[in-house]
Amino acid sequence: MNVPRTGRTEKWTEVGQGCFARRYPSFDVTVGVVVGADGLLVVDTRGGPREADELRADLAELSDLPVRWVVDTHWHFDHTFGNQRFADATIYGHETVPGALAEWGEHARAALAGRSPEWERDMADLVLTPPTRTFASVSVIDLGDRVVELVHPGRGHTDGDVAIRVPDADVVFAGDLVEESGPPAYGDDSFPLEWPSTLEVLTGLLTPSSAVVPGHGAVVDQAFVTAQFGDATAVAETIRRLAGEGVPEAEALAAAEWPYPTERLAEAVRRGYRHLRESGAPMTGPEGPGPGRRSLPLLGQ
């Protein structure tokens, strides 16, 4: 298949026995593959039909086995909009993903179409393809000679984050619950106050020698995830403290020290204050979240 390239890609890297990762320049997405006796399991399908075609060509370089399973680590376009090219596989995802794609997929398609004529053509060909097999907490996939575990450790980057654990290889594909190429992406569908406890559950799946494949960036280890847990905890605790002290939401970023650049934390503060208001926590300032605001966790994870 002659597939136009979207930019330089790294080669497949074996991160554990029969487990591979490949990092793509487009949105710096890191795709995963688990090789089983009965076929391939692919973790995330990239950002559209064109990118998925490139992925399929790259998979053919890796193995001649068919893709039997796909796992969406969450609903965001850069991880699911390639699903249509894998419609002959069983596509797994958290139970919230189909609804999120139905609600926000067309908005994401329109935003992507405005990026360039190439993206406009690609989005014209897009068929939104949600998971065909969903679960709430845990699921297991038998690849013929090995078992892969799917875990929803809690809400964080979205309400439907999924980690994929390959026990016999000590590999975990973490999706955007863990990011190496930049700070965690606090979008306007994130849960900054819950993210630390979710990462705590995730670290329970790891050993000191685990290879952890993030949704964006290079492969990391348990120590990296533990450090990110500490930073996410600092973000959550700072939001709670400032809100409890009556610091207005608009002044919060300037009122404290943060582990990440403040320009990456505006949504974390907004979402955190909103969730505290909704929980009934004592706060000062205007009540309630503003009407209908959603800026789409797009064009960057």
Side-chain angles (χ1 to χ4, degrees):
M1 177 165 43
N2 183 18
V3 179
R5 312 304 290 181
T6 58
R8 182 189 63 80
T9 64
E10 297 181 356
K11 298 297 184 183
W12 292 109
T13 300
E14 190 166 17
V15 298
Q17 184 177 3
C19 298
F20 296 84
R22 187 168 185 143
R23 184 175 173 181
Y24 288 90
S26 180
F27 302 106
D28 199 17
V29 168
T30 304
V31 171
V33 176
V34 183
V35 180
D38 293 344
L40 304 180
L41 181 150
V42 174
V43 180
D44 291 333
T45 59
R46 306 189 65 202
R50 173 173 46 92
E51 293 193 345
D53 286 341
E54 180 181 284
L55 172 57
R56 290 193 71 95
D58 292 338
L59 288 167
E61 297 173 2
L62 179 64
S63 172
D64 58 3
L65 289 170
V67 177
R68 294 276 311 280
W69 310 273
V70 166
V71 182
D72 294 333
T73 58
H74 58 294
W75 78 266
H76 288 170
F77 80 92
D78 46 339
H79 301 262
T80 63
F81 272 20
N83 280 0
Q84 73 186 82
R85 293 295 199 250
F86 297 88
D88 53 345
T90 301
I91 303 176
Y92 285 78
H94 188 257
E95 62 183 6
T96 60
V97 170
L101 280 172
E103 184 175 3
W104 298 108
E106 291 300 333
H107 183 31
R109 181 210 296 263
L112 284 168
R115 289 174 62 85
S116 70
E118 185 177 37
W119 276 103
E120 183 178 14
R121 291 190 296 271
D122 201 35
M123 291 300 99
D125 294 335
L126 176 68
V127 177
L128 291 175
T129 305
T132 53
R133 188 77 61 85
T134 62
F135 64 97
S137 298
V138 296
S139 188
V140 174
I141 304 175
D142 185 350
L143 307 192
D145 60 343
R146 66 199 312 186
V147 169
V148 173
E149 301 168 353
L150 312 183
V151 180
H152 170 58
R155 302 192 295 188
H157 181 62
T158 70
D159 61 358
D161 298 303
V162 171
I164 298 93
R165 179 172 178 257
V166 189
D168 65 357
D170 199 10
V171 172
V172 172
F173 298 90
D176 287 6
L177 284 172
V178 177
E179 295 201 37
E180 182 275 336
S181 57
Y186 290 98
D188 68 358
D189 59 347
S190 66
F191 293 82
L193 303 184
E194 298 180 39
W195 204 328
S197 61
T198 298
L199 283 175
E200 188 172 21
V201 173
L202 180 65
T203 57
L205 305 177
L206 308 178
T207 73
S209 58
S210 293
V212 182
V213 181
H216 302 267
V219 177
V220 298
D221 57 13
Q222 183 190 52
F224 181 96
V225 178
T226 300
Q228 198 157 95
F229 161 72
D231 289 339
T233 299
V235 170
E237 290 180 348
T238 301
I239 292 171
R240 287 193 177 94
R241 176 178 62 80
L242 294 174
E245 292 173 354
V247 175
E249 178 182 325
E251 300 174 14
L253 288 174
E257 294 292 326
W258 301 89
Y260 301 120
T262 54
E263 62 268 19
R264 300 296 298 268
L265 293 173
E267 284 293 344
V269 168
R270 190 184 72 84
R271 292 281 288 177
Y273 269 64
R274 171 179 174 168
H275 294 154
L276 288 168
R277 285 193 293 268
E278 292 174 345
S279 73
M283 297 175 61
T284 60
E287 294 297 325
R293 182 181 185 279
R294 186 180 178 91
S295 60
L296 183 66
L298 180 66
L299 312 188
Q301 302 118 38

